[in-house]
Amino acid sequence: MVLSKQLMVTHDARLTKLKIMPKCQKTKLSYHLKMYDRQKERNVTRKFCFSGVAAISFSLNYFDNPVGAEVCGFYEIFDRQAKEELLEQNFAARKQGFLQHGNYAYDPLEQSDLLNERTMFERALAKLDGYRLFEQQTTGGIYRILAKKWEVR
């Protein structure tokens, strides 16, 4: 079983610009990568655009350490469990942030508690097969985007 596929080689890629345009289910994300193009034998800049974004995850490493960049690419991950985990991580982070910064009498057993509300999560989960999970490896980190569509310019 194939768990992922490299969609584009992005040697020595550096993320130079990131833009997130939140709009509920119509959220868009774009980023620019500066990378080495082996065919042209020079650095080029490409813009990656995503629409219908449901979740985003970043693992940044700006300590002058390119470990992980040798993977050299932009990938699609086909594992449904990886998609579910990304959605669940975002849901849990929302709850954790709220509890960490507020004085809130949270009841984890109370279904009607605002922080236990999972309607939007369950809706996204029901439509998960319509989303694609992408991973961009760069010298500065790893970016995961769960979105309906993507294109490169």
Side-chain angles (χ1 to χ4, degrees):
M1 176 179 184
V2 178
L3 297 178
S4 68
K5 177 183 177 182
Q6 187 176 43
L7 301 177
M8 183 178 222
V9 175
T10 57
H11 289 285
D12 299 325
R14 287 181 291 127
L15 189 84
T16 59
K17 184 178 183 180
L18 173 67
K19 184 176 182 181
I20 302 170
M21 297 143 285
K23 194 172 183 183
C24 199
Q25 295 177 18
K26 295 181 181 179
T27 295
K28 294 181 181 181
L29 176 140
S30 66
Y31 60 83
H32 292 86
L33 279 187
K34 191 170 196 173
M35 60 192 180
Y36 185 74
D37 186 322
R38 287 187 173 181
Q39 291 178 334
K40 295 181 180 180
E41 296 183 343
R42 64 181 173 91
N43 284 330
V44 296
T45 300
R46 297 284 181 260
K47 181 178 182 181
F48 290 72
C49 302
F50 302 85
S51 60
V53 176
I56 305 164
S57 171
F58 302 91
S59 297
L60 301 178
N61 179 19
Y62 284 112
F63 301 109
D64 199 25
N65 180 358
V67 172
E70 68 275 2
V71 180
C72 302
F74 174 64
Y75 297 84
E76 181 170 2
I77 299 170
F78 302 114
D79 183 16
R80 181 180 170 90
Q81 184 175 346
K83 294 179 188 181
E84 289 179 20
E85 286 173 3
L86 181 56
L87 282 176
E88 188 65 52
Q89 286 170 5
N90 284 0
F91 181 81
R94 174 185 143 268
K95 184 188 304 185
Q96 179 187 3
F98 194 94
L99 291 173
Q100 186 172 7
H101 304 294
N103 183 11
Y104 184 75
Y106 174 59
D107 182 354
L109 302 177
E110 178 58 51
Q111 287 185 347
S112 63
D113 190 299
L114 174 67
L115 296 180
N116 294 330
E117 172 57 44
R118 295 179 66 91
T119 303
M120 291 303 288
F121 175 82
E122 296 297 333
R123 283 184 194 161
L125 205 55
K127 297 178 182 180
L128 200 55
D129 290 335
Y131 287 89
R132 298 167 69 186
L133 180 57
F134 302 99
E135 181 173 278
Q136 178 65 63
Q137 299 270 338
T138 71
T139 56
I142 297 171
Y143 307 84
R144 284 190 168 188
I145 301 125
L146 184 63
K148 290 186 177 182
K149 297 179 183 177
W150 79 282
E151 67 177 323
V152 65
R153 299 179 189 158

